[in-house]
Amino acid sequence: MTLLLDNQFPPLPDNKEIDTKVFLESVSHLPSFFDCLGSKVFAPIKADINRNITKMKAVYDSDPVKYETLQQILLAEKSIHASEWPKAGATLALMWLKRGLRFIQILLESLADGEIDDDNPILIRINITKAYDQALKRYHGWIVQKVFKAALFAAPCRSDFLKALSKNQEVAEEDCLSKVRQFLINFTATVDAIYEMYYTMNAELDYQV
């Protein structure tokens, strides 16, 4: 089993309501994904995901019934924080967390789709760059963007990354990618549902850090 399949996301119900407790349990295993990238340069993204999970868990633990689903969190905080919403509470934490999840999603999709840099076929820079450009870059100022560019040169080669995903077991590349595609089914559905929720509730913010 891969690192990802050991902690599969559950399928969404028909109404796309996401159970907060189950979601937090699922995402709590994802920060270790960045260890597979092999460089401490990716530590800020990992730390940001951990920090936002912790903020969300604190809100959920304060009233598990009131905050049973992610949708209920946004609705309740919209009333609680009034004019400060959505730049407050678990709503803001989830806003940033979903961007980190989208980064993981696009990176894995790019690998699973076989996207390769013809000039450097053994590297995964092209896959990481695509994920960063689409999920995070627009929210980062030039300093953070420069840090990311430096991280690219420390990224592992394709085979080492896939081996790390396979918990350092010798697994055929296609077998590993098959498991990645399996993981992506429920993971992508969950991330898409969160983005849709933010769009529907007009809760998305577009500022840089």
Side-chain angles (χ1 to χ4, degrees):
M1 295 290 284
T2 67
L3 173 72
L4 299 172
L5 281 188
D6 284 350
N7 304 290
Q8 264 277 41
F9 279 60
L12 289 181
D14 291 338
N15 63 7
K16 295 186 179 180
E17 295 247 335
I18 301 171
D19 183 283
T20 305
K21 181 179 180 181
V22 174
F23 174 77
L24 290 173
E25 288 173 349
S26 298
V27 296
S28 68
H29 301 286
L30 287 179
S32 58
F33 169 87
F34 291 93
D35 296 332
C36 296
L37 293 172
S39 170
K40 293 181 179 178
V41 185
F42 290 96
I45 302 178
K46 176 182 177 180
D48 188 60
I49 288 178
N50 269 323
R51 184 164 51 250
N52 288 316
I53 291 172
T54 299
K55 290 178 181 177
M56 288 190 65
K57 190 173 186 304
V59 171
Y60 171 74
D61 288 343
S62 71
D63 194 335
V65 175
K66 183 177 182 179
Y67 301 121
E68 184 178 3
T69 68
L70 299 186
Q71 287 81 353
Q72 287 174 311
I73 289 178
L74 266 66
L75 287 169
E77 290 196 335
K78 185 175 183 179
S79 176
I80 293 168
H81 296 292
S83 62
E84 294 183 1
W85 188 88
K87 200 174 183 178
T91 302
L92 181 62
L94 181 58
M95 183 187 303
W96 282 101
L97 176 59
K98 70 179 175 55
R99 293 166 183 170
L101 301 184
R102 184 71 94 192
F103 173 87
I104 294 172
Q105 174 198 339
I106 296 172
L107 171 55
L108 292 176
E109 285 176 344
S110 179
L111 286 164
D113 290 344
E115 293 184 301
I116 294 175
D117 183 349
D118 291 335
D119 294 328
N120 296 287
I122 68 169
L123 303 179
I124 59 172
R125 291 177 190 169
I126 190 173
N127 314 97
I128 297 175
T129 299
K130 179 179 181 179
Y132 181 75
D133 286 351
Q134 293 188 17
L136 295 171
K137 185 177 181 178
R138 64 181 294 184
Y139 307 110
H140 289 165
W142 70 273
I143 294 178
V144 179
Q145 290 183 27
K146 286 187 69 174
V147 170
F148 173 77
K149 286 182 179 179
L152 276 179
F153 292 97
C157 67
R158 181 184 179 90
S159 60
D160 287 346
F161 175 68
L162 294 178
K163 184 176 181 180
L165 278 185
S166 302
K167 298 191 292 189
N168 291 318
Q169 297 177 1
E170 295 293 342
V171 178
E173 179 174 311
E174 187 50 44
D175 289 342
C176 180
L177 291 177
S178 176
K179 291 180 172 62
V180 167
R181 295 185 190 101
Q182 186 179 340
F183 168 81
L184 280 169
I185 296 171
N186 293 340
F187 181 70
T188 299
T190 300
V191 176
D192 287 348
I194 296 173
Y195 269 82
E196 182 181 343
M197 176 178 66
Y198 270 76
Y199 176 79
T200 302
M201 295 186 66
N202 196 26
E204 188 65 60
L205 296 175
D206 198 17
Y207 65 94
Q208 291 187 332
V209 294

